[in-house]
Amino acid sequence: MLKGKSAVVTGSTSGIGLGIARAFAGQGVNLMLNGFGDAAEIEKLRAGLTAEFGVKVLYDGADMSKGEAIAAFMKKAADGLGGVDILVNNAGIQFVSPVDEFPEAKWEAIANINLSSSFHTIKAALPGMKQKGWGRIVNIASAHGLVASPFKSAYVAAKHGQVGLTKSVALEVAEAGITVNAICPGYVRTPLVENQIADQAKVHKMSQEQVIREVILAAQPTKKFVEVEEVAALAVYLCGDMAKSITGTSIAIDGGWTAR
Ligand code: NAD
């Protein structure tokens, strides 16, 4: 059902975004990749997806912290792919600090990348989706879009904001054949989390294994990381026809974390 559609996945050079891009490619979806990294590695990734799945794959490294760059990025995607049917707002960063010591620049970067970029991409994507009478927007929020943890004020605020944006836009476009949903993963073992494991091990003077069980997965009842492929499969499901009545919602995929 998704074969021949086109998708923009922000922050898709790594982790969850890359997993979602792969899953879409497997469904025959043409792609615009985005994110940072080594140019040669990214080209290998791009060409590899095309070779493996026979879909068109473009890449643009637009910085999702820069609102003005996002409109141009979205136009490039629409021009190159014949419109944007599916938009996955996934790019995100983390920074951990007590709020009274939180660096202003980090606050702004998190607010821009984890929240405002979704506003800019959605604003650019909606006119084309409305014209086609079909669209899917999937915002990769977090369990931290539903509940808080200390020392992650910017991240928690931005992810709660992304959940609010999801609801509001879903209501606006409900009659236009467009759904808007948020996926709220618990801990997924990606580079974003690998860095936290290393940092926390130093802070707590623990081994990395201890940090994983006693700090990182303390709130996750299954005591297991969520797999990238599980999040990607949920994103694919939300874009399918059987999910056309699911809109304005936030789906936790968090090993029971937010059931507490
Ligand atoms: P990751 O670090 O592996 O990937 C992040 C991606 O975003 C990379 O491709 C990176 O290049 C890109 N990116 C970062 N800053 C960017 C910018 N300014 N402009 C464009 N691209 C940028 O992280 P991940 O764990 O895969 O996280 C992906 C999303 O999932 C994030 O929004 C994150 O908050 C969310 N999330 C992650 C977890 C987890 O446990 N890993 C849990 C819940 C939610």
Side-chain angles (χ1 to χ4, degrees):
M1 189 243 156
L2 295 180
K3 194 171 167 49
K5 299 238 183 260
S6 56
V8 168
V9 185
T10 69
S12 45
T13 52
S14 164
I16 294 171
L18 178 56
I20 291 173
R22 273 192 72 78
F24 279 139
Q27 298 287 321
V29 173
N30 300 313
L31 290 165
M32 170 60 91
L33 302 177
N34 160 259
F36 299 150
D38 177 73
E41 286 296 315
I42 294 172
E43 175 49 26
K44 212 165 109 188
L45 204 79
R46 191 202 64 73
L49 286 173
T50 294
E52 190 174 348
F53 299 106
V55 293
K56 183 170 185 178
V57 185
L58 307 176
Y59 164 76
D60 186 290
D63 184 342
M64 289 298 126
S65 72
K66 308 234 172 339
E68 64 282 8
I70 296 175
F73 163 71
M74 292 298 290
K75 183 171 183 324
K76 189 170 167 186
D79 290 349
L81 300 173
V84 175
D85 303 307
I86 297 167
L87 168 64
V88 181
N89 287 308
N90 168 80
I93 59 167
Q94 175 62 285
F95 190 79
V96 179
S97 161
V99 68
D100 49 350
E101 293 166 20
F102 216 93
E104 277 76 5
K106 286 287 181 196
W107 175 277
E108 289 198 359
I110 291 178
N112 287 336
I113 299 166
N114 295 19
L115 174 59
S116 297
S117 69
S118 301
F119 157 70
H120 293 293
T121 54
I122 288 170
K123 185 173 176 184
L126 276 183
M129 290 179 177
K130 284 180 180 169
Q131 214 169 27
K132 289 189 183 182
W134 195 94
R136 293 286 186 270
I137 298 173
V138 179
N139 296 321
I140 306 303
S142 167
H144 281 124
L146 305 171
V147 295
S149 295
F151 312 121
K152 295 184 176 176
S153 54
Y155 188 86
V156 169
K159 293 296 186 182
H160 274 68
Q162 208 184 19
V163 167
L165 177 69
T166 301
K167 293 181 190 176
S168 191
V169 179
L171 295 177
E172 288 184 34
V173 299
E175 290 186 60
I178 303 166
T179 69
V180 191
N181 292 290
I183 293 180
C184 296
Y187 281 106
V188 186
R189 196 161 187 175
T190 64
L192 182 138
V193 169
E194 289 293 349
N195 294 338
Q196 288 183 56
I197 295 171
D199 290 351
Q200 300 263 21
K202 267 186 235 151
V203 172
H204 294 282
K205 297 191 171 49
M206 286 178 173
S207 71
Q208 298 211 356
E209 289 65 34
Q210 267 180 304
V211 165
I212 289 170
R213 192 165 173 87
E214 293 169 28
V215 181
I216 304 272
L217 295 182
Q220 200 149 296
T222 52
K223 303 291 177 211
K224 288 195 175 77
F225 285 103
V226 178
E227 306 280 339
V228 164
E229 291 74 17
E230 297 174 67
V231 181
L234 181 54
V236 168
Y237 175 72
L238 285 173
C239 294
D241 199 43
M242 293 314 286
K244 64 178 182 293
S245 302
I246 302 178
T247 194
T249 198
S250 305
I251 303 181
I253 175 164
D254 65 359
W257 178 347
T258 54
R260 287 179 197 276

